[in-house]
Amino acid sequence: MDTQTREDLLKLFQSKLNQAMRLYLETCSRCGTCTEACHVYASTGQVKHIAAYRHEIVRRIYKKYFKGQGKLASALGEPKELTELALEELYEAAYSCTGCRRCMVYCPHGIDTQMLMSIAKLLLVGANEEPEILSMLADSSIEKGKSLDLFKEGFLTAIKNLESQVVEKWQVEAGQNPIPMDQEGADLLYVALAGAHSIIPAAAIFNAAGENWTLSFFEAVNFGAFVGDPSRTKLILDRIINEAVRLKVKEVCICECGTAFRVMKQLSGKQPFKVSSITEVHARYLREGRIRLDKEKFKDPVTYHDPCQIARNAGVIDEPRYILQNLTHDFREMTDDVRYNWCCGGGGGLVALGEDTLDFRMKSAKVKVDQVQKTGAKILATACENCHTQLSNLNDHYQMGMNVQFLSSMIAEALVQ
Amino acid sequence: MQTITYLILVPMVYLAYLIFVLGIISRMVKIWRAPVQPTTLQIFPEKKPKWLWALHDSFLLPTVRKHNPVLWFFLMIFHIALLLLIIGHLELFKGFTFFQFWEHEIFLGKGFVGLTMIIALLYLLFRRFASPTRQISIPEDYYLLILIFLTVLFGSQMDWARRWYGYAELSPSDYQTYLTSLLFFRPELPSAVYQTGHSFMLVLHVFFANLFIMFFPFSKIMHSFFSIPMNRLRRG
Ligand code: HEM
Ligand code: SF4
Ligand code: SF4
């Protein structure tokens, strides 16, 4: 690696060094309490997947270039030079970590491994060594934000084609638009994913609850966050914020996508509108009696997988449980403490990398499979696209024989007219 | 020999504390001058009051207790013993009688505090020789534990000699004369301190303590200051 590249990368590193990051970098006492926390270590037993091992790689580079220790007393902490090889190590550490922050629950100091891995990811972006697919997906999301007019017509037509399926689930009054778009002054802007399964059930439920809603032109998922690039994360986010402001909505409702929700709710500062996950909105409709569900619809026992970015990392915990109490007679918890729910093994962009990571995802999530099977449930519900894909893959791979469901789809199925 | 003894017992102590204070201040300033994390890093579900739970997490280490009870046990006795030893050392300054509201001989615990600490340190050290803790350890971790071990070992020797073997030539009042004189920058070494049979214990104790104190600000022991703000971040 030439000097110029290294300097540029170190500038990126520097840009990440806020108070919290410095505390995280300087305080790990390598006590090893986090050892069993990571599902990858718990499933594979490989030391390189212990949270502290992952971030010690970042920490060694930090010591080398940002601490006196690296220059004066290198025998103490084994500072590491930033080289091609170091980047490879960073790649392995960062892209085998799903950013679930389960290890943060274990750590006596509360060190956030996801945040430390974001340094690794940013350095990889700087060196053009990030996973290409994620970068391309991020760029195309941004492109779409810039040239809305180009794809608007096509999108409207595609949405039109979904209308009949929405009406099949919930009959709307004559003249009412089953999937309203571009409605200025709507109360709620729904940000979905590019896929009918993310739009049809949600639309039916909004209509059933009599919501004054409108569908966003953009998809919620933030590939910028997966690839760990703050500027692209913000550009992708801004498309939605701008749309919400333009339409003057009171609330932005994020579909079943963990990363999108956490980025919008927690990692983007204060917005002039309320941010909710679709699960929260559905629980609200139920509480207010705006929708009613048929509790007999699903006869098999149900368990629920808390998406890390929605539950442990963003606090939507009681709502899915409230919904499930209204949806089934036989709900079974996976853990008695949500903070300890195992990650599905698909976060941090791993699912978006598809086949490339499939083998790793299957091996690293063995503990998740065991946890699910112990409940004896037949239906595995969740509220995140990534988790759903990963859990479905696990279901096939380990022949679990489960029925993997989106919580919102189950609600839409069970709506009572 | 006397020159070395003097250098360790007087100038090196001053140097160590200078480095200690400046080092800690500079590290804190460096961190506090960095930009504030703009968004929350909280873990859910939350419990209120958050600051109280953050203190609970910092001082009682509930997650270590849950996931590694043996480590928790030794960590707790280590830190509690440390606290008692710090109190003991403060009482070596003449006039520091705050803790005497509960009357006791200087150095609480009749010598057993030091022993407890030594056992805890041996546990902490030996566990680092075993996988997988070995693979996540770095040299600093071993140096620190060995340094503290040596400090406590020689410190305890003096305590034990006095209390368990009836060795009376070196007594707290001698230490008091010495330490208090250092505090007022009029260093004075009573002959008992550096000319009796056990003075080499004191010299070695102070030597290793000096090394530790100089190392402190640049080591992971800064967790003693950083753990609380970090736990606050997690509690939100
Ligand atoms: C608010 C005060 C403090 C808190 C919350 C705290 C917390 C902790 C925690 C959570 C650990 C476990 C991690 C580990 O095993 O390394 C630990 C270990 C340790 N602490 Fe503290 N501590 C405090 C003060 C101190 C002080 C003042 C010292 C000074 C000597 C100290 C020395 C150590 C040592 C030597 C270890 C063991 C390191 C090892 O196992 O390698 N701690 N402390
Ligand atoms: S639990 Fe925390 S302090 Fe201990 S090794 Fe893991 S990250 Fe470091
Ligand atoms: S954030 Fe999750 S995946 Fe990453 S090291 Fe921690 S437990 Fe493992």
Side-chain angles (χ1 to χ4, degrees):
Chain A
M1 180 184 303
D2 58 74
T3 335
Q4 188 56 43
T5 317
R6 183 174 297 123
E7 263 170 38
D8 292 345
L9 292 184
L10 290 175
K11 274 197 201 108
L12 289 178
F13 201 129
Q14 173 77 42
S15 74
K16 282 286 200 177
L17 293 178
N18 64 25
Q19 277 179 8
M21 191 68 94
R22 280 186 180 264
L23 286 170
Y24 291 151
L25 281 166
E26 301 198 4
T27 313
C28 174
S29 44
R30 290 164 295 276
C31 65
T33 307
C34 56
T35 302
E36 294 292 334
C38 182
H39 62 277
V40 190
Y41 178 79
S43 296
T44 65
Q46 287 174 305
V47 173
K48 63 181 176 189
H49 294 306
I50 297 175
Y53 191 97
R54 290 183 203 286
H55 43 74
E56 198 59 29
I57 303 171
V58 178
R59 192 168 288 115
R60 283 179 180 179
I61 296 171
Y62 175 68
K63 282 182 217 170
K64 174 87 189 169
Y65 298 102
F66 299 96
K67 301 291 291 177
Q69 208 196 69
K71 294 164 194 97
L72 300 173
S74 50
L76 292 175
E78 302 176 332
K80 194 186 204 69
E81 206 167 311
L82 185 53
T83 58
E84 271 309 315
L85 233 90
L87 283 175
E88 273 173 37
E89 254 187 290
L90 289 173
Y91 188 102
E92 207 192 344
Y95 285 100
S96 62
C97 167
T98 59
C100 69
R101 305 213 303 167
R102 191 171 186 271
C103 48
M104 186 170 175
V105 176
Y106 278 59
C107 175
H109 308 298
I111 290 175
D112 184 344
T113 306
Q114 183 189 35
M115 207 161 129
L116 289 168
M117 287 302 104
S118 77
I119 295 181
K121 288 191 167 184
L122 185 59
L123 293 183
L124 290 166
V125 171
N128 288 319
E129 288 181 25
E130 80 279 21
E132 222 175 314
I133 312 173
L134 293 183
S135 232
M136 274 163 40
L137 288 167
D139 289 340
S140 80
S141 294
I142 295 169
E143 212 34 61
K144 196 167 159 187
K146 286 194 197 134
S147 42
L148 178 58
D149 291 336
L150 284 181
F151 79 97
K152 200 168 177 174
E153 281 314 310
F155 190 63
L156 286 171
T157 323
I159 294 296
K160 230 20 270 112
N161 291 337
L162 300 178
E163 283 179 358
S164 61
Q165 293 177 61
V166 174
V167 177
E168 236 170 69
K169 291 205 187 310
W170 187 268
Q171 192 59 49
V172 289
E173 280 164 38
Q176 189 188 333
N177 188 351
I179 311 181
M181 295 205 56
D182 229 358
Q183 298 287 317
E184 199 175 313
D187 288 333
L188 180 146
L189 175 70
Y190 175 57
V191 193
L193 290 170
H197 65 279
S198 170
I199 298 173
I200 295 167
I205 300 167
F206 286 133
N207 295 338
E211 185 64 78
N212 175 15
W213 71 290
T214 181
L215 177 67
S216 170
F217 280 110
F218 303 107
E219 73 281 2
V221 59
N222 197 320
F223 293 107
F226 282 148
V227 78
D229 182 344
S231 48
R232 281 189 282 182
T233 305
K234 185 161 184 316
L235 284 173
I236 293 173
L237 189 71
D238 281 348
R239 305 168 314 163
I240 299 167
I241 294 177
N242 293 340
E243 187 183 29
V245 170
R246 177 171 63 82
L247 296 178
K248 302 191 186 67
V249 296
K250 298 193 189 82
E251 181 174 9
V252 169
C253 170
I254 307 287
C255 66
E256 291 170 314
C257 173
T259 306
F261 178 58
R262 175 133 187 269
V263 171
M264 176 66 97
K265 169 97 184 174
Q266 293 206 313
L267 305 181
S268 70
K270 215 150 176 55
Q271 304 300 348
F273 44 78
K274 181 175 164 186
V275 179
S276 312
S277 76
I278 191 166
T279 309
E280 288 173 295
V281 171
H282 289 165
R284 190 168 77 213
Y285 292 161
L286 265 176
R287 278 206 185 92
E288 293 171 357
R290 288 164 72 178
I291 55 173
R292 281 190 307 122
L293 302 180
D294 173 9
K295 224 172 161 169
E296 307 302 325
K297 185 85 192 175
F298 298 95
K299 298 231 162 38
D300 288 329
V302 184
T303 187
Y304 177 73
H305 166 75
D306 281 290
C308 301
Q309 306 304 344
I310 292 180
R312 171 166 53 242
N313 297 335
V316 181
I317 295 166
D318 298 336
E319 290 82 355
R321 286 166 179 74
Y322 179 74
I323 294 171
L324 284 159
Q325 297 308 337
N326 284 278
L327 199 56
T328 165
H329 292 288
D330 190 354
F331 169 60
R332 304 183 182 180
E333 287 283 3
M334 286 189 201
T335 55
D336 44 12
D337 185 340
V338 177
R339 291 176 304 164
Y340 291 111
N341 184 42
W342 286 113
C343 173
C344 67
L350 294 189
V351 159
L353 289 172
E355 285 292 322
D356 291 355
T357 56
L358 186 62
D359 184 52
F360 173 77
R361 282 190 280 125
M362 295 304 102
K363 286 183 182 142
S364 63
K366 180 77 182 68
V367 285
K368 182 76 225 180
V369 174
D370 296 341
Q371 189 185 40
V372 172
Q373 284 180 328
K374 237 171 81 188
T375 63
K378 283 271 161 276
I379 299 176
L380 172 52
T382 192
C384 168
E385 179 80 13
N386 256 296
C387 300
H388 186 275
T389 308
Q390 164 75 357
L391 292 170
S392 305
N393 290 344
L394 288 173
N395 192 27
D396 296 341
H397 182 83
Y398 288 97
Q399 298 176 340
M400 295 161 72
M402 310 235 5
N403 173 6
V404 185
Q405 285 274 357
F406 283 108
L407 188 57
S408 64
S409 308
M410 291 174 73
I411 299 172
E413 288 288 309
L415 281 175
V416 181
Q417 276 281 354
Chain B
M1 194 60 217
Q2 286 205 352
T3 325
I4 294 178
T5 307
Y6 177 79
L7 285 176
I8 290 174
L9 290 184
V10 182
M12 193 183 176
V13 177
Y14 283 129
L15 180 69
Y17 277 90
L18 190 71
I19 293 177
F20 180 74
V21 172
L22 293 183
I24 289 178
I25 293 175
S26 88
R27 262 190 88 178
M28 292 213 176
V29 167
K30 250 213 186 109
I31 289 180
W32 262 265
R33 282 220 321 242
V36 180
Q37 161 76 18
T39 56
T40 178
L41 293 168
Q42 189 175 358
I43 291 274
F44 294 88
E46 65 182 25
K47 279 194 194 167
K48 286 185 175 158
K50 292 173 178 176
W51 62 270
L52 195 63
W53 283 103
L55 290 181
H56 160 265
D57 295 346
S58 306
F59 289 110
L60 299 181
L61 319 180
T63 61
V64 185
R65 192 178 69 204
K66 179 160 179 166
H67 305 296
N68 194 342
V70 181
L71 174 62
W72 180 81
F73 173 76
F74 285 106
L75 278 178
M76 285 315 270
I77 62 172
F78 169 78
H79 284 95
I80 292 168
L82 181 73
L83 195 69
L84 294 175
L85 290 177
I86 290 173
I87 292 174
H89 283 84
L90 288 174
E91 289 185 337
L92 289 183
F93 293 104
K94 258 184 219 145
F96 190 92
T97 50
F98 175 78
F99 290 102
Q100 288 294 347
F101 64 82
W102 171 41
E103 226 174 283
H104 61 264
E105 207 181 323
I106 288 183
F107 281 108
L108 285 155
K110 301 197 186 324
F112 285 98
V113 174
L115 185 64
T116 308
M117 186 128 166
I118 283 171
I119 294 170
L121 279 164
L122 285 176
Y123 172 79
L124 292 174
L125 182 61
F126 287 136
R127 96 189 170 94
R128 277 204 192 276
F129 290 123
S131 294
T133 319
R134 178 163 49 104
Q135 283 95 326
I136 58 167
S137 298
I138 62 173
E140 173 186 338
D141 303 329
Y142 296 97
Y143 291 144
L144 264 174
L145 287 170
I146 294 170
L147 203 49
I148 302 173
F149 177 78
L150 290 170
T151 312
V152 180
L153 185 66
F154 287 108
S156 293
Q157 287 293 336
M158 291 187 286
D159 205 23
W160 298 340
R162 197 157 50 78
R163 284 170 143 158
W164 296 354
Y165 312 130
Y167 180 89
E169 276 179 64
L170 203 56
S171 72
S173 70
D174 298 318
Y175 306 139
Q176 279 185 335
T177 312
Y178 158 61
L179 270 178
T180 314
S181 76
L182 281 186
L183 185 65
F184 293 107
F185 297 103
R186 276 191 303 264
E188 182 188 331
L189 291 180
S191 63
V193 164
Y194 75 119
Q195 282 175 339
T196 52
H198 271 195
S199 353
F200 77 98
M201 300 271 187
L202 177 74
V203 174
L204 286 174
H205 178 62
V206 175
F207 176 70
F208 289 121
N210 284 341
L211 287 184
F212 173 65
I213 286 163
M214 288 193 263
F215 188 16
F216 186 115
F218 312 103
S219 72
K220 64 174 188 179
I221 305 296
M222 286 298 282
H223 70 254
S224 40
F225 296 99
F226 296 156
S227 195
I228 295 173
M230 289 170 71
N231 269 303
R232 274 234 58 171
L233 287 175
R234 175 169 54 184
R235 284 289 177 178

